[in-house]
Amino acid sequence: MDKQLVYFLCTGNSCRSQIADGFLKALGGDKYEVKSAGLEAHGLNPRAVQVMKEAGIDISHHTSDVIDPETLSKADYIITLCGHANDNCPVVRNDKAERWHWGFDDPAKATGTEEEIMAKFREVRDAIQARMEQFVKEGK
């Protein structure tokens, strides 16, 4: 059976979409082909790499990519993880794709001490992990 293509979209493809990508590959890589991209490529956020490492998932090899129209047209699921990407995602000429918006706070905008910022990254990571577990369990 062909794997279904899940395409996670965010503004910068640096945190939330990378975390979602990492979790879905780890939890459902046997069922899904997983890709992520952004409206822009802001680079992989080192704190996202760190909190995923704490969860036992290495995303350090991921790249920050801009949305690819060809991948968009082939996707079975197009999932935006931030309001900006949801509002500004290119028009999708793909009638078969299910399009969802799962909004998560942007941990890169967290302020405070390093400890407080990392706590926000962990909070968002855990929320995304729970959503990915639900997605895999339900088959969508």
Side-chain angles (χ1 to χ4, degrees):
M1 181 181 117
D2 284 345
K3 292 182 181 184
Q4 291 186 303
L5 174 57
V6 179
Y7 205 19
F8 291 113
L9 305 179
C10 226
T11 301
N13 193 219
S14 67
C15 296
R16 292 165 287 185
S17 50
Q18 295 285 358
I19 291 169
D21 182 318
F23 275 125
L24 191 55
K25 280 179 181 155
L27 298 166
D30 54 332
K31 293 185 207 166
Y32 303 104
E33 180 182 354
V34 184
K35 294 186 181 281
S36 65
L39 297 170
E40 304 159 1
H42 291 173
L44 185 57
N45 188 301
R47 291 183 178 116
V49 173
Q50 183 180 337
V51 298
M52 288 302 284
K53 186 176 181 182
E54 291 171 5
I57 297 172
D58 179 10
I59 64 167
S60 64
H61 60 282
H62 285 201
T63 56
S64 181
D65 302 310
V66 174
I67 295 170
D68 173 43
E70 190 177 326
T71 303
L72 205 59
S73 69
K74 292 179 185 171
D76 295 290
Y77 298 96
I78 298 167
I79 303 169
T80 53
L81 301 170
C82 67
H84 185 257
N86 188 46
D87 295 342
N88 295 283
C89 183
V91 173
V92 179
R93 288 176 182 77
N94 177 344
D95 294 333
K96 72 178 175 103
E98 288 192 47
R99 186 162 169 184
W100 294 325
H101 173 64
W102 300 338
F104 295 97
D105 290 342
D106 184 357
K109 291 198 164 111
T111 57
T113 65
E114 183 62 21
E115 195 173 289
E116 290 165 336
I117 293 169
M118 288 305 293
K120 186 64 176 178
F121 268 84
R122 290 181 187 105
E123 176 188 315
V124 172
R125 174 203 62 201
D126 294 348
I128 292 173
Q129 179 179 9
R131 190 64 191 86
M132 292 308 114
E133 288 169 351
Q134 181 184 349
F135 179 84
V136 171
K137 189 173 118 193
E138 294 174 356
K140 62 179 183 178

